[in-house]
Amino acid sequence: MPARLRRADPAALAEALAADEPTPAQLKLLTKHFMAVLDERAPGASVEVRVPPYAAVQVVPGVRHTRGTPPAVVEMDAETWIELATGCLSWSDAEARGALRASGQRADLTPYLPLVED
């Protein structure tokens, strides 16, 4: 069984969020952090969210996916994921500019975004 994603250290998270142009290591940290937050807020396994090459997680309540191609998949690059997670980009704007691919039932993550704490 793969290891669960974990939230980032608060100081490292703040530093990565403050960067004008995050380094690859900071992109990885932010991606994994926000995937862990999504996993906490949308427990389940009906949608696979992929942010290659950094992370993938199965989330959202519903029919559990166990083998083969998942019935619902969302895929995007790290920059798009971080913009969505922080509220700097809306789901509809990301779709309109072709920055993400979403297919299947429950593949719209709008109810769970943004992921930053208030």
Side-chain angles (χ1 to χ4, degrees):
M1 171 182 277
R4 300 302 294 182
L5 295 170
R6 294 186 190 159
R7 288 179 180 239
D9 170 75
L13 179 64
E15 181 180 331
L17 285 170
D20 289 332
E21 293 201 24
T23 66
Q26 289 172 323
L27 286 175
K28 181 178 180 179
L29 178 136
L30 291 168
T31 298
K32 289 185 169 219
H33 171 80
F34 288 122
M35 291 287 249
V37 175
L38 178 64
D39 189 34
E40 292 169 9
R41 293 193 185 169
S46 67
V47 179
E48 185 165 294
V49 180
R50 301 172 181 166
V51 181
Y54 301 119
V57 67
Q58 290 185 1
V59 294
V60 181
V63 176
R64 181 172 183 78
H65 164 70
T66 56
R67 296 176 66 157
T69 302
V73 176
V74 176
E75 187 168 335
M76 68 201 84
D77 62 28
E79 292 84 355
T80 301
W81 173 240
I82 294 162
E83 286 182 301
L84 287 166
T86 58
C88 294
L89 178 66
S90 73
W91 186 266
S92 60
D93 287 345
E95 282 185 312
R97 75 179 195 195
L100 64 84
R101 291 166 301 289
S103 63
Q105 289 184 318
R106 299 180 183 90
D108 183 345
L109 300 179
T110 302
Y112 308 104
L113 298 170
L115 298 169
V116 291
E117 275 80 30
D118 297 330

